[in-house]
Amino acid sequence: MNQIIYKAKKYIELEGKRFSGDVIILSCKVPESYEELLKKKYRLEYVSSHGFFAYSGEKELLDIPSINEGFSLKKSGQGINLQARDYNGYLYGLGAWILSDMDDSSQSFSIEDYPTMQKRGLMLDVSRGKVYKLDTVFRIIDILSFARYNVLQLYIEHTFDFKSHPEISMGSGAYREEDILKIKEYAASHGITLQANLQSFGHCRRILKQK
């Protein structure tokens, strides 16, 4: 079974019983995969004065790290509180919450965490191998988001449907403009930036073969 294991910058075990109850989210749109994992109905609202919230039980304001994408998560007998500095930190906090719910032995604790590296990404080669279907790309984005990546590049040589030169991508299963826009939108909703990676010059074999 695949597992995602991480070590928080600050972890403190607290005395008390495990809490379980209804989850209330105060923020903007939450990725569908998290909704399915938590299996709760969300109330969505952005709270600009204190960042992004998610709580169950008694609401409590937490000290959050000053670094971008940081979050604090506290779990006690009174409830569970998550607070983040920005949208990505909020997603990472939800991921930590989900992981703690998967462990029945987890007790009360307090976490403060943030990324060590500002950019954490994957370059996916979709030219010299398989051109992935959109559903597969979306699933990869789900996994990257849960693992706290925030950058995705699609390595493209000839597998883009250039409308002015359709012969370049002919028979390659190329991505269309609307496909790239869908991937960009889905990635953004999961805290991931889609960066352009269109090869040229030394990678023009397919283009130069055309008349």
Side-chain angles (χ1 to χ4, degrees), residues 120-143:
R120 307 165 303 282
L122 171 72
M123 185 182 76
L124 191 63
D125 192 334
V126 294
S127 279
R128 295 173 293 191
K130 183 178 178 62
V131 179
Y132 298 101
K133 294 181 179 179
L134 288 187
D135 286 347
T136 301
V137 176
F138 293 161
R139 180 55 184 153
I140 291 171
I141 290 172
D142 290 340
I143 295 170

Side-chain angles (χ1 to χ4, degrees), residues 56-76:
S56 176
E58 214 172 281
K59 183 179 176 183
E60 177 183 353
L61 290 180
L62 305 174
D63 292 328
I64 54 177
S66 59
I67 298 174
N68 288 342
E69 301 183 328
F71 70 90
S72 293
L73 176 66
K74 183 178 180 181
K75 201 170 187 179
S76 68

Side-chain angles (χ1 to χ4, degrees), residues 39-208:
K39 295 179 180 178
K40 301 291 180 180
K41 291 183 179 179
Y42 293 163
R43 252 187 354 221
L44 307 177
E45 180 183 348
Y46 177 66
V47 184
S48 58
S49 58
H50 296 295
F52 291 86
F53 279 97
Y55 70 92
S56 176
E58 214 172 281
K59 183 179 176 183
E60 177 183 353
L61 290 180
L62 305 174
D63 292 328
I64 54 177
S66 59
I67 298 174
N68 288 342
E69 301 183 328
F71 70 90
S72 293
L73 176 66
K74 183 178 180 181
K75 201 170 187 179
S76 68
Q78 285 71 47
I80 307 171
N81 280 269
L82 165 65
Q83 189 172 345
R85 181 155 300 280
D86 50 33
Y87 182 61
N88 279 22
Y90 173 68
L91 294 182
Y92 305 153
L94 277 180
W97 186 335
I98 290 167
L99 288 172
S100 71
D101 276 352
M102 290 179 177
D103 181 6
D104 292 334
S105 65
S106 64
Q107 302 298 319
S108 301
F109 60 80
S110 175
I111 289 176
E112 289 183 16
D113 207 3
Y114 54 87
T116 301
M117 299 176 63
Q118 185 178 9
K119 299 297 182 184
R120 307 165 303 282
L122 171 72
M123 185 182 76
L124 191 63
D125 192 334
V126 294
S127 279
R128 295 173 293 191
K130 183 178 178 62
V131 179
Y132 298 101
K133 294 181 179 179
L134 288 187
D135 286 347
T136 301
V137 176
F138 293 161
R139 180 55 184 153
I140 291 171
I141 290 172
D142 290 340
I143 295 170
L144 291 177
S145 179
F146 203 65
R148 303 186 188 177
Y149 282 63
N150 60 5
V151 172
L152 172 64
Q153 293 184 2
L154 297 180
Y155 175 99
I156 292 177
E157 293 180 5
H158 63 282
T159 50
F160 179 77
D161 182 16
F162 297 96
K163 293 181 179 179
S164 57
H165 296 283
E167 67 277 6
I168 293 175
S169 61
M170 188 177 299
S172 67
Y175 292 117
R176 300 166 299 172
E177 180 181 351
E178 53 264 39
D179 295 329
I180 298 297
L181 291 175
K182 287 178 181 178
I183 293 171
K184 180 181 178 181
E185 181 180 358
Y186 192 83
S189 73
H190 286 66
I192 294 175
T193 300
L194 180 65
Q195 292 183 348
N197 192 334
L198 182 62
Q199 302 301 308
S200 58
F201 302 112
H203 299 269
C204 290
R205 182 180 63 85
R206 179 79 174 238
I207 296 175
L208 295 174

